[in-house]
Amino acid sequence: MQPNMEKENDSKMGIGGLLRRLLPFVLPYRWLLFVTLLLTFAGSLMAQVNAVVLDRAVDAINALLHLDGGFQWSAAARILVTISIILLGKELLSALVTFGQRIFGEKIRINVSRDLSLRVVDRILQFRMAFFSQDGNEPGKLQTRIDRGIMSLSNTVKNFFIDILPLFTSAVLALALMYAANVYVGLVATAIIPVYFWITAVQGRRMKGWRHRVFGTHQQLSHGILNIIESMGVIKSFNREQEEAAKQAALQEQSTEQQMQTRRISFLYEGLKTFVEQIGTVLIIILTAYLVLIDYPGMSIGKIMYHVMLFSNVSAPIRQLHRIYDDLNDALVYAEGFFGLLDADNEVESSGKWKMGNGKRVQGRFEIKNVEFTYPSGAHAIRDLTMTIEPGKTTALVGLSGAGKSTIVNLLDKFYAPNSGTITLDGIPLREWDTQALREQIGLVLQKNHIFSGTIEENIRYGRPDATHEDVLEAARKAYIYDQVMELPDGFQSNATQLSGGQQQRIAIARMFLKDPPIIFLDEPTASLDAIATEQIKNSIDAIKKGRTVIVISHNIGQIIDSDALYVLDTGHVVQSGLPAEVYRQGGLYKEILDASARSMNVDKIAEAMAL
């Protein structure tokens, strides 16, 4: 999210908060969780068997060596056979329990990962368009935030339910057995643990800032690579490969240094923690050996090995903790951005409740009064705008680039909300309209329309999912794309992304024909088409215009000159309006634009050529 949101999340979310946020995604699988915990407890019990067997075996062998009657091989054989049966049986059972525990734990992780992905997709689909134009929400950065968030949260579930939980349970049981055998040894083992955790906490605080820097650089790298791919034609045409490579090299160098710094800090603290752990082992050996030497009740040679192995089970989570703790702290960094998306209630597209009942269609009368609008980037696009779009008529919006024409379409389609002023449709304020119901009444064709990965038929049917195959074919005919599609080897089952720009534009227009809405917004609908295709599409659009409210934005004279009404815009406000011929006779900006268009088309020479 935005920097201020990241700081807010950074100040609130710790590891406990992270686990609390994950809990609602885990609870639906409570039975899987119960079975996992049960198997975890069984596995932890079996992890202590080696220490108990070693304790008894060492003492039994020691006693056998000091028998008054001398060493007996038969007794030794019974001890070895018993040890072998117990340990091999335990290992077989442990393998089965571990397999089950990991399978169920992994199933929880995979299901949670799926649910997180579905939740964030559902969430961003609800966001208003303004969100996607904010700094930091570029496609590459958003993708990095989502992908790394899901990956890190999924790993957190794995770390907790598959890694930490078994180790922690085993450590608690081992520590309990140590206390049961000898309180002093148990206290020594316990005293080591808080020191280790304190060092780990200091490490986490020290590395948190560096992790944020690494995350930010990863976002820049991802966005930069995506930008290179999208701009490949421009890069190659200007021979800027070296410059783009240099930019990426600089970012990679920065990322490398940041990662090395985090590793240096991590390795320093990991070495310190390993040293502390070894001190604990040494203290256990010295203390148990001393207790044996002074013939302390309950202490024996076997108990030395028993306590060393149990302390190994206590310190096993500590040996794994630095890796898991690092992963959890990484998850915190990525989770903040991920949950920031889920928590961004202020970014959710607002919607009213007004709908057209009984299958009625809107008339299409828009009234815009004193509207002001500024994009999130700070660009003041609309200034005190007042205009009326009459129903059943074609209204042309004309102006130089940046005059605010496309912004008006965005406001009327509720992609953005005005900062002030009012917009009504058929007398109902636009903010009170149900957003989905409103957009069902509008057909939108842009200068560059998105083509989804899939077949041509699927892309056209996007305009009306319940359309029949014949409906799709008819829409293609109206958009003058049918014949070209039928010439392809796979016809309407061909990959739509392989079509030319002009063909893709016709696919978008076919969607609009299929949708058959009462209101049509045309933003440079023939910009990518050749002259013949432009004439064909114009004829089709002219046919569908009848009885509909149409707003057209175009630099093509033929698209605007026969409109019923004309609004000329300059820097976000209306400077001229009326019938096209009347406005032209007034002079001013419209006359300048129309005359310039005529000159750029060499209208005089075209007329001379046609007169020959």
Side-chain angles (χ1 to χ4, degrees):
M1 298 302 295
Q2 299 308 303
N4 59 342
M5 183 175 292
E6 287 182 353
K7 290 179 181 178
E8 182 180 350
N9 288 335
D10 178 57
S11 63
K12 290 184 177 180
M13 184 176 289
I15 291 177
L18 172 63
L19 295 177
R20 283 193 296 273
R21 293 303 305 267
L22 274 174
L23 191 60
F25 293 92
V26 176
L27 284 179
Y29 310 104
R30 54 177 62 87
W31 285 108
L32 283 174
L33 180 60
F34 175 75
V35 174
T36 302
L37 293 176
L38 191 63
L39 291 173
T40 295
F41 183 73
S44 300
L45 284 175
M46 285 185 285
Q48 318 310 319
V49 171
N50 284 3
V52 175
V53 170
L54 185 61
D55 172 29
R56 302 296 174 85
V58 168
D59 286 342
I61 292 173
N62 187 51
L64 185 63
L65 292 174
H66 295 85
L67 281 176
D68 293 337
F71 179 78
Q72 298 178 3
W73 275 108
S74 59
R78 283 195 300 272
I79 293 174
L80 294 177
V81 170
T82 302
I83 292 174
S84 299
I85 292 173
I86 292 175
L87 292 182
L88 290 176
K90 170 257 178 183
E91 288 300 327
L92 178 61
L93 187 59
S94 180
L96 294 174
V97 169
T98 300
F99 175 78
Q101 188 261 344
R102 288 186 176 276
I103 282 292
F104 287 115
E106 189 67 8
K107 189 170 184 179
I108 294 174
R109 184 194 69 80
I110 292 172
N111 286 338
V112 168
S113 178
R114 178 200 61 198
D115 294 346
L116 287 167
S117 180
L118 292 174
R119 178 73 64 85
V120 76
V121 168
D122 180 66
R123 190 61 166 172
I124 63 175
L125 286 172
Q126 299 175 29
F127 287 170
R128 54 198 178 97
M129 289 295 293
F131 170 83
F132 300 98
S133 61
Q134 294 173 8
D135 184 37
N137 292 337
E138 295 87 349
K141 292 183 178 180
L142 270 180
Q143 182 176 352
T144 300
R145 188 185 310 168
I146 293 171
D147 289 347
R148 289 186 176 272
I150 293 173
M151 180 184 67
S152 61
L153 291 171
S154 172
N155 286 337
T156 298
V157 174
K158 173 183 178 295
N159 285 330
F160 188 73
F161 292 105
I162 301 178
D163 294 336
I164 289 182
L165 208 54
L167 291 169
F168 179 76
T169 307
S170 178
V172 171
L173 287 173
L175 195 60
L177 290 174
M178 291 182 76
Y179 271 102
N182 189 282
V183 172
Y184 300 113
V185 180
L187 288 173
V188 170
T190 305
I192 297 298
I193 297 173
V195 176
Y196 194 96
F197 278 103
W198 176 75
I199 296 172
T200 303
V202 173
Q203 176 187 2
R205 289 194 298 270
R206 178 87 182 273
M207 293 184 65
K208 194 166 189 179
W210 282 103
R211 286 191 174 94
H212 275 288
R213 295 186 189 100
V214 169
F215 174 59
T217 305
H218 279 160
Q219 279 192 321
Q220 293 181 47
L221 283 168
S222 179
H223 179 64
I225 293 172
L226 182 62
N227 187 57
I228 287 175
I229 295 172
E230 292 177 342
S231 309
M232 190 61 71
V234 177
I235 292 171
K236 287 187 173 297
S237 66
F238 284 93
N239 293 322
R240 294 294 180 265
E241 293 91 341
Q242 295 298 324
E243 286 81 352
E244 293 299 329
K247 291 178 185 177
Q248 284 297 301
L251 277 175
Q252 289 287 0
E253 185 65 28
Q254 180 181 346
S255 175
T256 300
E257 179 55 34
Q258 290 171 347
Q259 291 181 70
M260 283 304 302
Q261 182 63 20
T262 59
R263 290 297 89 196
R264 281 192 288 266
I265 296 172
S266 179
F267 292 153
L268 175 64
Y269 281 97
E270 286 168 15
L272 183 58
K273 288 184 289 188
T274 300
F275 178 69
V276 170
E277 178 190 348
Q278 294 306 315
I279 288 178
T281 303
V282 171
L283 290 175
I284 295 293
I285 293 173
I286 292 174
L287 178 58
T288 53
Y290 171 75
L291 293 176
V292 170
L293 290 173
I294 64 173
D295 200 21
Y296 190 86
M299 292 302 296
S300 63
I301 299 296
K303 284 293 187 291
I304 296 177
M305 304 301 298
Y306 176 72
H307 283 293
V308 169
M309 290 198 70
L310 287 178
F311 183 70
S312 177
N313 289 340
V314 172
S315 61
I318 295 179
R319 288 196 297 272
Q320 295 293 325
L321 185 61
H322 65 268
R323 177 187 63 82
I324 296 173
Y325 192 78
D326 279 351
D327 288 345
L328 287 175
N329 277 286
D330 283 339
L332 278 177
V333 174
Y334 300 125
E336 286 160 8
F338 182 86
F339 284 119
L341 292 173
L342 298 187
D343 295 339
D345 295 332
N346 60 317
E347 300 292 355
V348 174
E349 193 170 44
S350 61
S351 179
K353 297 182 179 180
W354 178 265
K355 299 180 181 180
M356 295 298 295
N358 301 322
K360 295 181 180 178
R361 288 158 71 95
V362 298
Q363 295 178 14
R365 179 184 178 86
F366 286 100
E367 291 188 76
I368 305 171
K369 295 181 180 178
N370 308 118
V371 165
E372 295 276 344
F373 176 71
T374 301
Y375 280 104
S377 62
H380 196 169
I382 299 297
R383 306 168 188 270
D384 193 26
L385 181 69
T386 297
M387 65 169 60
T388 299
I389 308 298
E390 295 292 345
K393 295 184 178 181
T394 299
T395 301
L397 304 181
V398 181
L400 302 176
S401 297
K405 306 182 296 295
S406 296
T407 301
I408 293 174
V409 170
N410 288 334
L411 291 173
L412 296 181
D413 212 6
K414 286 188 74 173
F415 289 156
Y416 296 91
N419 301 119
S420 62
T422 60
I423 302 176
T424 62
L425 171 59
D426 293 349
I428 308 299
L430 215 58
R431 66 177 179 275
E432 296 181 12
W433 274 86
D434 177 84
T435 302
Q436 288 190 344
L438 170 71
R439 291 175 183 162
E440 284 297 325
Q441 308 292 328
I442 296 174
L444 181 63
V445 179
L446 304 174
Q447 180 175 351
K448 184 177 180 181
N449 293 275
H450 183 74
I451 297 298
F452 297 92
S453 178
T455 67
I456 294 173
E457 181 170 350
E458 289 170 343
N459 270 270
I460 296 177
R461 186 176 277 115
Y462 203 80
R464 196 176 83 235
D466 61 347
T468 66
H469 179 67
E470 288 304 319
D471 292 335
V472 172
L473 298 185
E474 182 59 27
R477 291 188 183 98
K478 291 179 179 179
Y480 291 92
I481 188 65
Y482 177 85
D483 292 337
Q484 294 184 31
V485 172
M486 293 305 296
E487 292 175 358
L488 299 174
D490 297 323
F492 280 83
Q493 301 308 308
S494 303
N495 187 346
T497 60
Q498 302 301 315
L499 298 176
S500 68
Q503 290 172 326
Q504 291 184 3
Q505 186 75 343
R506 297 193 201 196
I507 295 297
I509 293 173
R511 284 181 196 157
M512 189 264 293
F513 282 123
L514 191 62
K515 187 175 183 180
D516 190 28
I519 301 173
I520 300 174
F521 296 155
L522 304 171
D523 191 349
E524 297 288 356
T526 58
S528 302
L529 304 179
D530 55 61
I532 294 177
T534 297
E535 182 185 17
Q536 293 172 339
I537 293 299
K538 183 181 182 302
N539 292 336
S540 294
I541 291 176
D542 287 343
I544 203 173
K545 280 179 181 179
K546 296 176 181 178
R548 305 173 197 268
T549 302
V550 179
I551 296 178
V552 58
I553 300 170
S554 179
H555 291 100
N556 186 323
I557 297 175
Q559 293 287 330
I560 60 176
I561 202 166
D562 59 351
S563 58
D564 300 309
L566 182 78
Y567 285 96
V568 184
L569 292 100
D570 185 21
T571 61
H573 63 276
V574 176
V575 293
Q576 291 178 286
S577 64
L579 294 173
E582 294 175 354
V583 177
Y584 183 80
R585 287 193 294 270
Q586 294 172 7
L589 181 58
Y590 178 63
K591 185 177 186 303
E592 293 176 13
I593 293 174
L594 205 62
D595 289 347
S597 298
R599 290 192 298 270
S600 67
M601 293 174 60
N602 285 324
V603 172
D604 294 340
K605 292 186 178 181
I606 292 175
E608 291 176 5
M610 294 179 68
L612 295 177

